[in-house]
Amino acid sequence: MRVLALRALILALFLLAWEGVARAANPLLYVPPSAVLAALGRLLALDSYPDLLPSVLLTLREIAVAYAPILGALYAVPAVVWYPSLMLFFGLDAASKIAFGFLLGFFPITLAVLAGIRQVNPHMLAVARAFGARPLTVFVKVMIPAMMFTLVGGLRTGLALSVIGVIVGEILGSKAGMGALINHAYGLFRTSVYVALVLVTLILIVGSDAVASLVERRAQRWSE
């Protein structure tokens, strides 16, 4: 309780300092927390951007599709270098954002799978085969539980990078989605709405990581 109270005090002091500094500065560049809360209320009430919900759903769909097809990709160069080519090939619609999110999420998942395979005890595989276990049974009953901890950790990291890739792709060039709304608000110097949109995006990122964390804990208990 003391730690929580101290954290709450630090947060309150930070918000008060932010409020005071922002009120004395240029309102186009600095926005106080009170204005952000008001803008967030208007945003959630669909006054600032009536298409907020379709944009959130579009971003979530792009993240889901980007995270799902982990089949193979070239990751020899930084993924951001590929984005202009992805826009030329896929256009400014959802496909280029999905491809960019896929590129960012592929590498950690692949490394996790390879590391998990190396962690499997070869003696366990030999014993399973000696008792007549088929290859599919060996994979499900021996390999997956043995590599579960590393695999789920890699999947969680890949999900976080896929989320970041999709949103960054939308900011760099998109006609819809949360990144497009952020660009629009930023370009019009609607600073309070811009910060509110960033908060909504942060909630999406933290929420997806929280869900991945729950899945990771369940998987660890299953493997134990």
Side-chain angles (χ1 to χ4, degrees):
M1 293 300 295
R2 291 179 180 177
V3 173
L4 292 177
L6 181 60
R7 290 176 179 175
L9 178 61
I10 293 174
L11 178 61
L13 292 176
F14 172 75
L15 292 176
L16 287 174
W18 180 7
E19 184 80 19
V21 172
R23 285 184 178 274
N26 187 343
L28 290 178
L29 300 177
Y30 300 93
V31 54
S34 57
V36 173
L37 289 176
L40 181 61
R42 294 192 300 270
L43 181 66
L44 296 179
L46 304 182
D47 291 336
S48 303
Y49 285 98
D51 56 343
L52 174 66
L53 291 180
S55 297
V56 170
L57 293 176
L58 174 62
T59 300
L60 290 176
R61 186 172 72 249
E62 290 173 345
I63 291 170
V65 177
Y67 184 62
I70 308 300
L71 301 177
L74 296 175
Y75 211 88
V77 296
V80 70
V81 176
W82 292 103
Y83 190 69
S85 300
L86 295 176
M87 286 195 298
L88 289 175
F89 188 78
F90 293 105
L92 294 177
D93 293 327
S96 60
K97 317 309 176 295
I98 292 170
F100 190 55
F102 162 71
L103 282 176
L104 289 184
F106 167 78
F107 194 58
I109 295 176
T110 303
L111 288 180
V113 171
L114 295 177
I117 291 174
R118 288 194 296 267
Q119 289 179 355
V120 178
N121 191 334
H123 298 293
M124 296 175 62
L125 299 177
V127 170
R129 295 192 184 101
F131 278 93
R134 296 180 180 274
L136 181 59
T137 304
V138 172
F139 179 74
V140 173
K141 298 293 185 179
V142 179
M143 295 188 66
I144 290 182
M147 62 188 292
M148 181 61 68
F149 181 79
T150 303
L151 177 61
V152 175
L155 290 172
R156 182 179 178 183
T157 303
L159 174 59
L161 291 176
S162 294
V163 172
I164 294 172
V166 166
I167 295 175
V168 169
E170 290 178 346
I171 292 175
L172 292 177
S174 179
K175 299 181 291 186
M178 291 301 297
L181 296 185
I182 291 173
N183 252 347
H184 184 267
Y186 179 80
L188 295 180
F189 288 97
R190 302 174 67 182
T191 313
S192 58
V193 180
Y194 164 76
V195 176
L197 287 167
V198 171
L199 289 177
V200 173
T201 304
L202 180 62
I203 291 172
L204 289 177
I205 296 174
V206 173
S208 63
D209 186 68
V211 173
S213 177
L214 292 175
V215 174
E216 183 178 18
R217 287 199 291 268
R218 292 291 298 272
Q220 289 175 0
R221 287 199 298 267
W222 178 78
S223 62
E224 292 172 355

